[in-house]
Amino acid sequence: MGSTALAATGTMLLTAPAFAQAASTPAQPAPVAQADQIQSITIVGSQRLEPDTVRAYMRLRVGQNWSQVAGDQALKELYATELFADVSIRNNSGAVVVEVRENPVVNRIILEGNKRIKNDKIEPEIKLAPRQIYSRSKVRADVARIIELYKRQGRFAASIEPKLVQLDQNRVDIVFEITEGPKSKVQQINIIGNDKFGDNRLRGEMVTKQSRFYTFFSSGTSYDPDRLAFDQQKLRQFYLTQGYADFRVVSAVAELTPDKQDFIITYVVEEGERYKFGDVKVESQIRDFDSEKLTSTLRMKKGDWYDAKMVEDTVEGLSETAGLFGYAFADVNPNFIRDKETLTMGITFDVAESQRVFVERIDINGNTLTQDKVVRREFRLNEGDAFNSIQVKRTADRIKSLGYFQEELAVEQAQGSAPDRIVLTTNVEEKATGELSLSAGFSSIENFIFQGSIKQRNFRGLGQELRTNISYSSFSKSAEIGFTEPYLLDRSIAISGDIFRRDLNSFNFFNNQRNTTFEQATTGLQIRVGVPINEFVYFQARYGLSQDDITLDRNSFFSDPDGTGPLPATCDPLLAGRFLCDAIGNRLTSSLGYTLLFDDRDNRARPTRGQSAGISQDFAGLGGDVKYIKTRINADKYWRVGGSNFIFSMAIEGGYIHPLENRGIAGSDDIRLTDRFYLGEPQMRGFDIRGIGPRVQRVTFNQELQNGVVVNVPNFDRNQIQDDAIGGRFYYLGRAELQIPLGTGAKELGLRPSIFMDVGSVFDVTRPILQSLQARSASTAPVPNAPLFFTGVVNAAGVFEQDTVATNADGSARTPVLQFEERFFGDSFKPRLSVGFGVNWNSPFGPFRIDIARALLKQTGDDTKLFTFNVGTQF
């Protein structure tokens, strides 16, 4: 007896052995037993297995009587081991010969055709491994597991064809040829039985979405059986919030289209009748709770439409209230009284009697680097304190704000050693807190950028921060080192300090080029000390000392820059402008300041709820050369819109700097150019950097001869206007932004889109003395290279007044030809407004931010900008 076998060499499809086919045929009557007695059992063809091992797999033994039934049974037993590709047994008058062909050994496993799911995801699903014995059943099981993996990824059209490559020494390579197919989308969602709400309204409540061209970013368009069950719950929750207490989903069926490309989902629902609230009250068994007072605080009232979400929130609110008074295990049960005649739903919230609970123990698990005290000091409860649910929630928020652990962190509550004892447990999962960053990129603000930084936010596991940063771009360079100790001597006193050197270049635009105007080199240090006043209010004091060295390019802005003239080289107002000449020099700034901050946001790094507000002031004048008081205020608020994943935020800020000295320079503000406020990109999108506020523009004139008369024609080409922002004493800025949640796929890529509106202004500066430049010639025709230049100023009426009168050699007056004229714009408190949308992307090569914003309100002189982006730097 034998079976068909695989070909000895080459590549072929897996086929079932002929014996398996024979075994599936109807059983035949057992033949009459032969009288031959088994004299010997000889094993032929075994290579890796010993003959005695093969005999051990069979029940045939020497001395037994041979029968066809015994031979068939031995054949089944050998095939059941899955060690043999082919087996035959024959009896020669008592000499039984068992001829076997062993299954090959797996040499290696090869995956081909898989692009969407990488090898490291598929290989754990394959149980067959190199050096194991090959068998068809193992391969079939592996194929089924891989197919299931693709189904979980939404690829129901995936197919796998396993192949064998025969090698020498009875070895094989197993090749899984994978055809992944397209991702199966949800083509249509049908809803049957809905009369009160339209299909689109109900589809909007589901996580699963219909595949459309505008949903390419959403992962909800792929079919997922688990998501199908979740959507049934979402439909029920929606109807229950609308008063339909009897709603049910009769059936939910997902059908695969014939081409296995898409799914059609059909829901059959029964809406039922709509209910209103009946009598609603609270009955408390806890003596500290007054049932009537609690009843009066309930949001739902008799006659309102029934809302199951409101009932759920009320139960949670009563439980939190009980927890606030120390009843951690208070049991709040809503008892429903349904009246189908009047279609009302009466509810009695039964607050069962319970004991006040005290914290017996605080356990912290999972912290291998971070010391226990770093986590423990964020707890708002200590061992022995009365339990307080609000403080437990606040504890979780504070631990998450550290940034050392996973986002989904909770403080679990468990019964202690007695009914009035509770154990608080925090299971943390540490994240990497050290950062080594070397990045290069391009920014629309700073062109080429290089940045290197090393930061350890949890230095030595003590919660300390050690940081150093070096950055270089075409218009700025900086180096900084700092250290922060958040709990000095294990007390709630934070101390930090920074030493820095910053070289910044101010610039203007002329001929569509960005030109450096003045260079500011700042070297200094700052020391800060902060203490909490209470849980949400924080106070910080600081002292800073810095030396500023501000220079202008001598070749561009100085008269006689090489020093060959009779007078020393000085800043020429005609070349630089009076406001720039006034800015140059060395000055020492010694300042003392403070910040008072209120902050109850759930997460400082990426808040989703809460608010913050603060005021800060800096007084410069404790020695040094600069004297002023600078005041800033700011506030923001975050909340989820309608309980969804949409995060809406609003922020306002403003500032004023007041001089404490009278510099006595005509036409110059008492606040120096480098100390004023500026506004534009990136603070206010839709405008260029320093694109808002007071500015001086130098307009050139073309000389044209019209009817024999020289006419000065202003050139208003934006690229031909030299534009210098000079800042202001006041500024205000407001933002409103809505973060839009995306599907799981886009979220894993780190994409966070948002729409926004920005409004703001910077204003109030002493009007600078404006200048013009004229040339005079004896002819009325324009002279390209006039030999003499004369200066003058534009008076308050805007009329040019020349300082001197020049004549030709014969005594005739020279004809004036105006070369340029300075104009002053933008000193207005009127708001600038922009709207737009942007995307944050944590890309593999660094953070990336793109914004498209349009300025709707602007003032004369403002610089607008539609498109901005940053790559390779923080923002």
Side-chain angles (χ1 to χ4, degrees):
M1 180 183 296
S3 65
T4 58
L6 290 171
T9 60
T11 302
M12 63 172 295
L13 294 176
L14 295 176
T15 59
F19 175 75
Q21 298 176 2
S24 64
T25 59
Q28 301 297 325
V32 178
Q34 298 180 8
D36 295 339
Q37 188 180 49
I38 299 175
Q39 302 297 325
S40 63
I41 301 177
T42 304
I43 308 299
V44 178
S46 61
Q47 296 177 350
R48 296 182 305 273
L49 300 175
E50 295 293 332
D52 288 342
T53 302
V54 178
R55 295 188 189 97
Y57 290 132
M58 303 181 297
R59 296 181 186 178
L60 287 179
R61 296 292 183 267
V62 174
Q64 292 179 351
N65 289 330
W66 169 262
S67 68
Q68 189 65 41
V69 173
D72 289 345
Q73 181 62 36
L75 201 62
K76 293 178 180 179
E77 290 167 349
L78 291 176
Y79 272 117
T81 64
E82 296 188 342
L83 298 174
F84 307 103
D86 192 20
V87 181
S88 63
I89 301 177
R90 58 183 181 272
N91 177 26
N92 297 323
S93 301
V96 176
V97 178
V98 180
E99 186 173 350
V100 299
R101 182 162 57 87
E102 295 177 349
N103 270 331
V105 173
V106 176
N107 179 57
R108 59 176 178 162
I109 296 174
I110 303 171
L111 298 174
E112 293 182 355
N114 57 308
K115 297 179 180 179
R116 300 295 181 179
I117 303 181
K118 301 303 180 183
N119 287 13
D120 59 347
K121 300 294 183 182
I122 298 178
E123 287 169 353
E125 302 295 327
I126 300 176
K127 304 306 178 184
L128 203 58
R131 294 185 297 277
Q132 288 186 356
I133 303 300
Y134 160 82
S135 72
R136 293 180 176 89
S137 61
K138 291 179 181 179
V139 172
R140 286 194 296 267
D142 287 340
V143 168
R145 279 189 289 268
I146 299 173
I147 288 290
E148 184 61 30
L149 178 63
Y150 273 94
K151 286 182 178 180
R152 291 200 298 268
Q153 297 289 328
R155 298 183 183 276
F156 285 79
S159 62
I160 300 173
E161 186 177 0
K163 293 185 177 181
L164 292 184
V165 178
Q166 296 284 354
L167 305 174
D168 57 358
Q169 299 179 356
N170 199 20
R171 296 176 302 129
V172 293
D173 286 342
I174 300 177
V175 180
F176 292 99
E177 291 189 353
I178 302 173
T179 303
E180 295 180 316
K183 201 166 188 177
S184 300
K185 302 290 186 179
V186 176
Q187 184 184 94
Q188 185 71 29
I189 299 177
N190 300 319
I191 305 173
I192 301 174
N194 55 312
D195 297 325
K196 306 299 182 183
F197 300 97
D199 288 359
N200 289 334
R201 179 70 177 88
L202 297 181
R203 291 188 192 113
E205 296 296 323
M206 300 178 186
V207 178
T208 304
K209 305 298 181 184
Q210 297 179 131
S211 177
R212 298 294 183 265
F213 73 92
Y214 50 81
T215 58
F216 62 93
F217 266 136
S218 174
S219 63
T221 58
S222 59
Y223 172 71
D224 187 338
D226 295 332
R227 193 182 293 134
L228 182 67
F230 182 69
D231 283 338
Q232 297 179 56
Q233 294 298 321
K234 294 283 288 183
L235 283 176
R236 177 167 173 76
Q237 290 174 6
F238 170 72
Y239 270 93
L240 288 177
T241 60
Q242 302 299 318
Y244 294 90
D246 296 328
F247 172 83
R248 70 188 187 98
V249 178
V250 178
S251 64
V253 179
E255 299 176 293
L256 193 60
T257 56
D259 59 2
K260 294 185 179 181
Q261 298 289 322
D262 300 306
F263 277 88
I264 298 175
I265 301 176
T266 303
Y267 294 93
V268 179
V269 302
E270 286 184 3
E271 293 179 320
E273 299 291 341
R274 194 177 188 187
Y275 286 75
K276 291 185 176 182
F277 282 114
D279 292 325
V280 182
K281 60 182 179 179
V282 178
E283 290 186 357
S284 175
Q285 307 300 321
I286 300 177
R287 62 183 180 180
D288 293 338
F289 286 3
D290 187 309
S291 298
E292 293 184 0
K293 289 184 178 179
L294 289 175
T295 299
S296 64
T297 62
L298 296 179
R299 291 172 53 197
M300 69 277 290
K301 304 298 179 184
K302 184 177 181 179
D304 293 344
W305 291 113
Y306 172 74
D307 186 341
K309 182 64 167 59
M310 192 179 296
V311 175
E312 181 181 336
D313 292 343
T314 300
V315 171
E316 184 178 350
L318 289 172
S319 298
E320 287 187 356
T321 302
L324 184 61
F325 285 89
Y327 299 96
F329 302 109
D331 190 11
V332 181
N333 293 312
N335 298 318
F336 298 90
I337 304 172
R338 187 189 307 239
D339 190 335
K340 294 187 177 181
E341 297 293 331
T342 60
L343 297 179
T344 58
M345 184 76 72
I347 305 176
T348 299
F349 294 95
D350 185 14
V351 184
E353 184 177 3
S354 62
Q355 290 181 308
R356 295 194 69 178
V357 176
F358 297 86
V359 178
E360 177 181 6
R361 193 174 69 253
I362 296 176
D363 292 336
I364 302 171
N365 303 320
N367 53 315
T368 56
L369 172 66
T370 307
Q371 295 188 15
D372 268 18
K373 69 176 183 179
V374 174
V375 182
R376 198 173 293 273
R377 65 196 182 194
E378 301 301 327
F379 271 78
R380 302 297 92 186
L381 291 169
N382 295 318
E383 294 171 348
D385 288 350
F387 176 81
N388 187 308
S389 59
I390 302 299
Q391 299 287 25
V392 171
K393 187 176 182 181
R394 178 60 181 166
T395 295
D397 289 343
R398 288 181 64 92
I399 296 175
K400 285 190 288 186
S401 292
L402 292 174
Y404 308 156
F405 311 111
Q406 77 276 19
E407 292 293 330
E408 301 299 326
L409 183 144
V411 179
E412 301 175 357
Q413 306 165 25
Q415 180 70 56
S417 59
D420 63 344
R421 295 289 183 268
I422 190 172
V423 176
L424 301 180
T425 303
T426 303
N427 296 310
V428 300
E429 180 182 338
E430 290 186 319
K431 299 191 300 185
T433 56
E435 300 175 9
L436 171 61
S437 174
L438 296 173
S439 62
F442 185 86
S443 163
S444 60
I445 300 177
E446 297 186 87
N447 295 338
F448 174 76
I449 296 170
F450 172 80
Q451 185 178 41
S453 66
I454 300 175
K455 180 189 291 186
Q456 174 53 260
R457 294 181 291 110
N458 189 13
F459 184 57
R460 300 187 301 161
L462 295 173
Q464 301 166 339
E465 181 177 299
L466 181 64
R467 57 194 175 272
T468 182
N469 181 76
I470 297 174
S471 66
Y472 174 88
S473 72
S474 301
F475 296 95
S476 67
K477 307 170 187 65
S478 68
E480 181 176 346
I481 184 170
F483 177 78
T484 299
E485 168 56 73
Y487 281 81
L488 182 64
L489 302 177
D490 292 329
R491 296 180 179 273
S492 296
I493 302 174
I495 184 169
S496 63
D498 295 283
I499 300 174
F500 56 86
R501 167 64 184 242
R502 303 187 184 108
D503 293 340
L504 304 176
N505 299 338
S506 185
F507 52 86
N508 59 29
F509 290 92
F510 186 68
N511 286 332
N512 204 27
Q513 293 183 352
R514 183 173 179 170
N515 306 301
T516 298
T517 54
F518 68 86
E519 299 179 357
Q520 178 180 359
T522 304
T523 305
L525 60 85
Q526 188 177 75
I527 299 174
R528 299 175 294 275
V529 178
V531 294
I533 296 177
N534 59 33
E535 179 62 25
F536 302 110
V537 181
Y538 185 80
F539 178 83
Q540 182 192 82
R542 58 185 169 272
Y543 174 76
L545 183 67
S546 62
Q547 175 73 38
D548 291 314
D549 182 13
I550 301 173
T551 59
L552 291 172
D553 182 64
R554 296 173 63 92
N555 293 323
S556 300
F557 299 111
F558 277 50
S559 59
D560 193 18
D562 54 5
T564 59
L567 299 177
T570 58
C571 178
D572 190 343
L574 280 178
L575 301 175
R578 292 178 182 267
F579 52 91
L580 286 181
C581 289
D582 178 56
I584 62 175
N586 294 321
R587 60 185 61 99
L588 181 69
T589 302
S590 174
S591 65
L592 183 66
Y594 75 91
T595 296
L596 185 64
L597 177 66
F598 169 85
D599 189 351
D600 69 349
R601 295 173 298 174
D602 60 338
N603 192 312
R604 297 187 189 97
R606 190 175 295 177
T608 61
R609 58 176 172 80
Q611 52 273 319
S612 68
I615 180 173
S616 65
Q617 285 188 309
D618 289 280
F619 167 69
L622 298 176
D625 306 313
V626 181
K627 296 178 175 59
Y628 61 76
I629 291 181
K630 181 181 288 186
T631 304
R632 295 175 185 261
I633 59 172
N634 66 279
D636 55 45
K637 182 174 178 61
Y638 298 81
W639 59 88
R640 294 184 182 273
V641 179
S644 66
N645 290 326
F646 288 86
I647 308 299
F648 183 69
S649 63
M650 295 187 68
I652 58 172
E653 61 177 280
Y656 171 66
I657 182 169
H658 179 74
L660 298 178
E661 60 179 333
N662 185 352
R663 301 169 59 200
I665 303 175
S668 179
D669 199 285
D670 290 331
I671 298 297
R672 290 175 171 82
L673 185 70
T674 54
D675 296 325
R676 299 171 196 163
F677 294 115
Y678 295 88
L679 199 59
E681 181 191 351
Q683 303 101 321
M684 189 163 176
R685 294 152 290 193
F687 293 87
D688 209 341
I689 183 170
R690 296 187 176 185
I692 296 174
R695 59 204 326 100
V696 173
Q697 293 182 353
R698 182 171 291 195
V699 181
T700 59
F701 287 78
N702 297 326
Q703 305 165 13
E704 297 182 6
L705 184 63
Q706 298 180 5
N707 299 324
V709 178
V710 175
V711 179
N712 299 317
V713 180
N715 185 353
F716 290 113
D717 182 354
R718 191 62 168 164
N719 295 329
Q720 300 297 317
I721 298 177
Q722 182 174 312
D723 192 351
D724 290 289
I726 62 175
R729 296 189 186 184
F730 284 94
Y731 89 97
Y732 64 85
L733 178 63
R735 305 184 190 93
E737 188 160 4
L738 180 66
Q739 296 183 26
I740 303 172
L742 296 179
T744 304
K747 186 176 181 180
E748 290 176 353
L749 289 175
L751 292 172
R752 291 183 290 117
S754 64
I755 56 176
F756 57 82
M757 179 181 70
D758 294 344
V759 60
S761 182
V762 58
F763 55 95
D764 190 21
V765 69
T766 299
R767 181 185 178 91
I769 295 177
L770 303 178
Q771 304 178 114
S772 293
L773 179 64
Q774 291 193 6
R776 293 175 177 272
S777 70
S779 171
T780 57
V783 178
N785 299 309
L788 299 176
F789 290 87
F790 301 90
T791 64
V793 298
V794 177
N795 61 23
V799 178
F800 175 77
E801 296 177 346
Q802 68 181 42
D803 294 334
T804 61
V805 177
T807 60
N808 294 316
D810 59 1
S812 60
R814 291 178 182 261
T815 303
V817 179
L818 192 61
Q819 302 297 303
F820 73 78
E821 182 177 278
E822 290 180 346
R823 301 181 178 185
F824 179 62
F825 298 105
D827 191 6
S828 172
F829 67 90
K830 293 182 180 179
R832 282 73 159 176
L833 176 69
S834 65
V835 296
F837 64 91
V839 177
N840 272 320
W841 178 30
N842 294 328
S843 68
F845 46 85
F848 180 93
R849 171 81 192 192
I850 181 173
D851 287 301
I852 297 178
R854 182 175 181 82
L856 301 182
L857 295 178
K858 60 181 180 177
Q859 298 295 318
T860 303
D862 289 346
D863 288 331
T864 60
K865 195 170 189 179
L866 178 66
F867 174 84
T868 59
F869 69 92
N870 280 280
V871 182
T873 184
Q874 298 294 325
F875 39 88

